[in-house]
Amino acid sequence: DGALIEDAVQGLGSENLLGLRYGVTALMRLAWRGEGNYLLFSAGHERQIEAVFSKDAFQVYFQGNKTFEGRSAQLHPLEFDRVDYSFAKVGFEKQSDNYFFSGKLGLATGSNYRQLDTKRGSLYTAVFGREVELDLALADESWEGSHSVVWNGDALGFIFDAEAGWKWTHGMVGASIKNIGFIDWQNKVRKRVYDTVYNYSGIEISEILDSFAFDLKGQDDIASDFARTDELTNVRTNIPGEWCVWLRQGFLENRLVLTGAYGAYLADNARAYYSVRSTLYILPGLYAGVSYGRGAYSLADFGMHAGILLGTRIGVHAHWDSIGHLLGKEGKLSRIGGVVCSLTL
């Protein structure tokens, strides 16, 4: 839709950041050998994408190069990082009246990896399309092995979590690290380096990104003489994990709970995030609340959350942290939310 694309262009700055993180996790917690001791088992799949791109690159991709007739479009910066992986973890948790701690160690198996990074990039389009000049320096790494999300013997690594804290009456303070680890991508990472200044005469390019492998699906279409390096290699990548510290205090016999948190994802362009939450327990097993905070890739915004415990075994929690979007605020491009379901055995 042209109007939608134009609205998006107007909302972009000269340099823009995109972050996308989502996944699914199943967790089992079993009592073991004494009060406060638990065995932990978890398994899941995560996809994490991070991109930095210029406004000009966005316009060229969606609107072609006609918009830049008689001038240059700046395609740099353009960075893209993607890691898809599955995991299985096992661990131990200890709970007492005064403290708690837990740790989990597991195996990670990768299903997709992609990394793009430009050192320079510009596209000049002459008046009436008489000539087009591309100046490009780009490094590109992509996984060409199996994309199985269950098991991939060519992309294995280790992953671990840890958490610890101190308790007092109706309150606690704690710290955690999550999904810390690495994956070795063996022998099937295609590494290409492009470094060229190319001039075309009498050509109008409508989708420059497709033509020169900026399209994440079109890399095989690039001219072979653009590539200075083209080889299969091994790559070790760190899993973009997370650290967090938090403080929680209850009031009114623990019916009203205030929680503050501060943390960060271990990714190149993620900012530190923070949040302050107020939760009111309306009835036993039923609660709702509001929050204010900033995400790793988003502006500060208000949010809301609610949850219910069905019987003693089933729990459902939902949160939406982008109320500004619902209220129609301009410039709110972030969408943050989630649903957590739990089953106690």
Side-chain angles (χ1 to χ4, degrees), residues 9-312:
V9 169
Q10 296 304 316
L12 294 176
S14 58
E15 183 175 319
N16 305 275
L17 172 63
L18 167 69
L20 177 64
R21 305 171 68 93
Y22 63 90
V24 58
T25 299
L27 172 65
M28 181 179 293
R29 183 172 179 260
L30 301 177
W32 182 70
R33 292 190 178 182
E35 184 177 356
N37 298 328
Y38 301 92
L39 292 179
L40 304 176
F41 304 90
S42 65
H45 180 75
E46 297 280 342
R47 171 173 295 178
Q48 305 184 17
I49 294 175
E50 188 178 86
V52 176
F53 58 94
S54 69
K55 180 178 181 178
D56 288 0
F58 183 91
Q59 283 187 269
V60 171
Y61 183 85
F62 286 103
Q63 299 177 325
N65 64 321
K66 291 182 180 180
T67 308
F68 296 92
E69 187 176 359
R71 59 193 179 98
S72 292
Q74 298 303 314
L75 307 180
H76 175 76
L78 179 60
E79 301 175 23
F80 182 88
D81 292 278
R82 172 178 174 173
V83 176
D84 296 9
Y85 66 94
S86 301
F87 61 86
K89 306 173 190 174
V90 61
F92 174 79
E93 177 183 340
K94 175 65 178 179
Q95 293 281 349
S96 78
D97 292 337
N98 299 320
Y99 65 89
F100 61 92
F101 66 86
S102 67
K104 297 196 295 288
L105 177 65
L107 186 67
T109 176
S111 58
N112 207 348
Y113 164 71
R114 189 70 188 273
Q115 185 177 78
L116 287 172
D117 187 17
T118 58
K119 301 302 181 185
R120 68 176 193 277
S122 65
L123 173 69
Y124 172 75
T125 304
V127 177
F128 303 124
R130 291 191 180 96
E131 65 176 356
V132 174
E133 183 175 283
L134 175 69
D135 183 2
L136 175 66
L138 168 69
D140 179 8
E141 295 179 353
S142 60
W143 174 244
E144 295 190 352
S146 170
H147 294 284
S148 171
V149 300
V150 178
W151 175 261
N152 184 1
D154 292 329
L156 297 177
F158 291 97
I159 188 170
F160 74 92
D161 306 339
E163 183 179 49
W166 189 259
K167 300 178 182 179
W168 58 85
T169 304
H170 300 323
M172 67 177 67
V173 62
S176 67
I177 54 176
K178 180 181 178 183
N179 293 338
I180 306 299
F182 66 89
I183 297 175
D184 284 324
W185 307 83
Q186 296 291 332
N187 301 319
K188 296 180 181 179
V189 173
R190 176 69 65 181
K191 184 175 182 179
R192 295 182 175 95
V193 176
Y194 307 102
D195 193 342
T196 188
V197 177
Y198 235 70
N199 184 277
Y200 301 83
S201 298
I203 292 180
E204 179 182 283
I205 299 176
S206 60
E207 293 186 0
I208 183 68
L209 304 185
D210 285 337
S211 302
F212 299 109
F214 282 81
D215 186 343
L216 304 182
K217 300 177 181 178
Q219 55 184 321
D220 292 333
D221 296 331
I222 194 168
S224 60
D225 56 352
F226 275 36
R228 299 295 179 258
T229 303
D230 190 340
E231 61 185 2
L232 287 173
T233 186
N234 301 330
V235 172
R236 170 175 287 191
T237 61
N238 292 325
I239 296 172
E242 176 186 3
W243 65 265
C244 183
V245 295
W246 73 90
L247 173 66
R248 170 178 169 165
Q249 182 62 55
F251 302 91
L252 304 176
E253 297 300 319
N254 224 26
R255 290 187 58 203
L256 175 65
V257 177
L258 300 182
T259 306
Y262 183 83
Y265 296 113
L266 304 181
D268 290 341
N269 296 290
R271 299 178 302 180
Y273 63 80
Y274 60 84
S275 67
V276 179
R277 292 178 178 269
S278 173
T279 303
L280 178 64
Y281 287 81
I282 304 167
L283 296 170
L286 177 64
Y287 62 87
V290 295
S291 63
Y292 180 80
R294 184 186 74 182
Y297 303 102
S298 63
L299 302 175
D301 204 345
F302 289 94
M304 54 188 177
H305 57 276
I308 186 171
L309 180 63
L310 304 175
T312 59

